[in-house]
Amino acid sequence: MLRTTSLLAAFASAWTLLPGSAFAEPVELPVVAETYPYLEGTLDLELGNDWVFRADDPGAEVDDLYFLGELGVKLGLTPIFAINFGLTAESVLDPEPFKDRAFGDIGLYVDTLNLEAKLGAATLFAGKFGPAFGTAWDITPGVYGTEFAEDYELSEQIGFGATYEFDAGAAGKHTLGGHVFFVDTTFLSDSIFTRRGRVGIGDGGIGNTEKLNNFSITLDGTDLEALPGFSYNLGYRHLSAGVTETADEDGFVAGLAKETALASGMVLGLNGEIAYFSDAAGLAGDDALYTTVGLSVANGPWHGELAGTVRRLDFAGAGSTRDHLVQVSAGYGFENGIDISAGYAHVREADLDYDIIGLRLTKSFEFTSRK
């Protein structure tokens, strides 16, 4: 903003020197400076209903009406320093077998709390955050598109991270990231209203070490001149064994996404991601492979999605299983920002099948104290 207004002022002054200029005197344009502190963020609200039917396990046939709220806030302290804060309200416990649930077991917890420092193209942060690794758990379209990929999402970790953005011109913009962390075992790992329980090192689990011996390295890119609408992500992670594990886990991920605007006015989206894990979940000799694809079509307020994931688990000396999820969904976005969607999924997990129908009503709000 400062550079833009300065250029405008210089242009206005130069204009007065031209023959026939209508300006009798040079025009002084105000210079608008950033003000600190400032507060900005988003609030995402969702009402949903999931009905599981035709399940091989009769206890899984439940109807779950739920609420989800996610608040993300940035408090800008100076041109360099900011505080990031996130709250989530959701059902923090799984439904009980054979029992339907309506807005049950809702807890409130802090999912993000960190200090950020932006130094030119580099960004540093320390505190509680979700280290980068993969994107399918976030961007795969549809009511159930992200379900299996969420297995490898990294969230609620304590540690340090850094990213560096560089512009390669026609070759695109790229971001290199590195993070060291461990599972949050502080009081922030619990929730209020409904307690989900504080995480302890004795609970085990990969990454639950209370040491900075877990890390991820990522590279993301977009804005390639030869491939408009294209983006990619690459990542590697190492998660150390907790007290209940027998090995450290190593994971690799690679993903692509493409969005295309058609001449008809329709927008076509496509994404795919493969993630491989050796000694998966900290079990020596076990491997896991996830393959996720998603397709979306939007035409004005209408949208539709087709997505699926295949998850292959190979067990040390004990065969393998092949889980899968296929979903189809559609929705309508109103001018006031409210979106209503409906979806169906067929799921096979641990050699058991079930079908699920879901409804989603969502609305997002943005706010800022900046003028």
Side-chain angles (χ1 to χ4, degrees):
M1 178 66 73
L2 182 60
R3 177 174 294 179
T4 302
T5 52
S6 297
L7 289 173
L8 288 173
F11 178 81
S13 298
W15 178 264
T16 63
L17 301 178
L18 296 177
S21 170
F23 293 102
E25 298 291 340
V27 176
E28 294 287 341
L29 293 182
V31 175
V32 180
E34 292 284 2
T35 58
Y36 293 90
Y38 69 83
L39 189 71
E40 64 183 17
T42 60
L43 175 62
D44 298 323
L45 302 177
E46 177 176 316
L47 289 176
N49 185 257
D50 292 322
W51 176 42
V52 177
F53 65 102
R54 287 195 313 208
D56 289 343
D57 176 9
E61 294 184 354
V62 298
D63 187 78
D64 187 19
L65 177 64
Y66 69 86
F67 166 79
L68 170 64
E70 296 177 310
L71 174 66
V73 175
K74 171 171 282 190
L75 174 61
L77 302 174
T78 73
I80 294 177
F81 293 106
I83 295 175
N84 298 305
F85 175 71
L87 277 176
T88 295
E90 65 177 350
S91 297
V92 294
L93 303 176
D94 293 331
E96 295 183 24
F98 301 102
K99 292 186 178 181
D100 295 341
R101 183 172 66 174
F103 304 117
D105 304 317
I106 293 178
L108 179 69
Y109 59 91
V110 175
D111 59 67
T112 302
L113 181 59
N114 61 68
L115 177 65
E116 173 188 303
K118 190 164 183 62
L119 305 170
T123 301
L124 312 176
F125 44 92
K128 182 171 182 176
F129 65 102
F133 181 80
T135 62
W137 50 265
D138 182 43
I139 69 170
T140 304
V143 170
Y144 298 109
T146 63
E147 288 293 309
F148 275 13
E150 288 174 353
D151 289 356
Y152 56 84
E153 176 187 3
L154 292 172
S155 62
E156 297 195 68
Q157 307 290 316
I158 299 288
F160 304 90
T163 63
Y164 184 81
E165 301 178 4
F166 53 97
D167 191 336
K173 297 178 181 178
H174 309 269
T175 302
L176 179 65
H179 318 83
V180 291
F181 52 86
F182 56 84
V183 172
D184 178 20
T185 55
T186 71
F187 70 95
L188 295 178
S189 64
D190 204 349
S191 56
I192 60 174
F193 305 122
T194 298
R195 300 285 300 275
R196 59 178 182 173
R198 178 172 176 172
V199 177
I201 193 168
D203 296 327
I206 51 173
N208 186 6
T209 60
E210 295 187 342
K211 299 177 182 178
L212 295 173
N213 56 357
N214 311 278
F215 64 90
S216 70
I217 301 172
T218 58
L219 178 65
D220 302 87
T222 187
D223 292 345
L224 280 75
E225 187 174 292
L227 296 169
F230 171 87
S231 62
Y232 73 88
N233 71 280
L234 301 169
Y236 166 72
R237 79 182 194 190
H238 177 86
L239 301 182
S240 297
V243 296
T244 58
E245 282 65 54
T246 57
D248 297 347
E249 178 193 87
D250 291 290
F252 305 85
V253 68
L256 302 173
K258 180 76 165 63
E259 188 173 275
T260 304
L262 305 179
S264 62
M266 298 176 62
V267 178
L268 180 68
L270 180 66
N271 78 286
E273 185 167 281
I274 296 176
Y276 170 76
F277 303 90
S278 62
D279 298 327
L283 300 176
D286 287 4
D287 297 324
L289 178 66
Y290 292 73
T291 304
T292 300
V293 294
L295 172 67
S296 66
V297 178
N299 188 7
W302 293 96
H303 58 87
E305 302 84 24
L306 179 65
T309 300
V310 175
R311 177 177 60 195
R312 180 182 174 89
L313 305 174
D314 295 312
F315 307 110
S320 63
T321 63
R322 187 182 179 91
D323 302 333
H324 66 258
L325 177 150
V326 179
Q327 80 98 58
V328 60
S329 58
Y332 185 91
F334 296 90
E335 290 184 2
N336 61 6
I338 293 176
D339 186 272
I340 184 168
S341 298
Y344 160 79
H346 175 75
V347 183
R348 182 173 182 81
E349 191 169 9
D351 296 325
L352 298 175
D353 291 270
Y354 66 88
D355 296 282
I356 183 169
I357 291 176
L359 293 174
R360 301 288 185 269
L361 184 67
T362 61
K363 169 72 173 177
S364 294
F365 301 88
E366 296 183 354
F367 56 90
T368 181
S369 66
R370 291 180 169 185
K371 299 298 184 181

